[in-house]
Amino acid sequence: MSRFKHLKIRQVDSALAPFRVIEEVGRRGTGWIRAIREAYGMSLRQLAERLGISNSSAATLERNEA
């Protein structure tokens, strides 16, 4: 590997270092959309209304994202 390429990789690693803590959190099995919706105490119906979509579309959105 060239010195320049190695330097670029080190710079990117250094810039991303503060975000490594995210790796420790891990991925939720339910998906982020559902996790955020539940954190706000929203029902699936309320989410669908806010997004302007049907309940089944909101459920599909959550299921596909997970």
Side-chain angles (χ1 to χ4, degrees), residues 1 8-10 34-35 41 43 52-53 55 62:
M1 180 179 328
K8 289 191 321 188
I9 291 171
R10 282 194 358 233
R34 182 174 175 180
S43 68
I53 59 177
N55 289 354
E62 279 191 358

Side-chain angles (χ1 to χ4, degrees), residues 1-2 4-5 9 11 14 16 18 20-22 27-31 35-37 39 43 50-51 54 56 60 64 66:
M1 180 179 328
S2 73
F4 182 69
K5 188 172 183 178
I9 291 171
Q11 288 174 336
S14 178
L16 295 176
R20 285 208 168 64
V21 77
I22 294 172
R27 182 174 177 249
R28 290 182 53 107
T30 60
I36 294 169
R37 175 181 63 79
S43 68
R50 291 201 52 145
L51 294 175
S54 68
S56 63
T60 300
N64 289 343

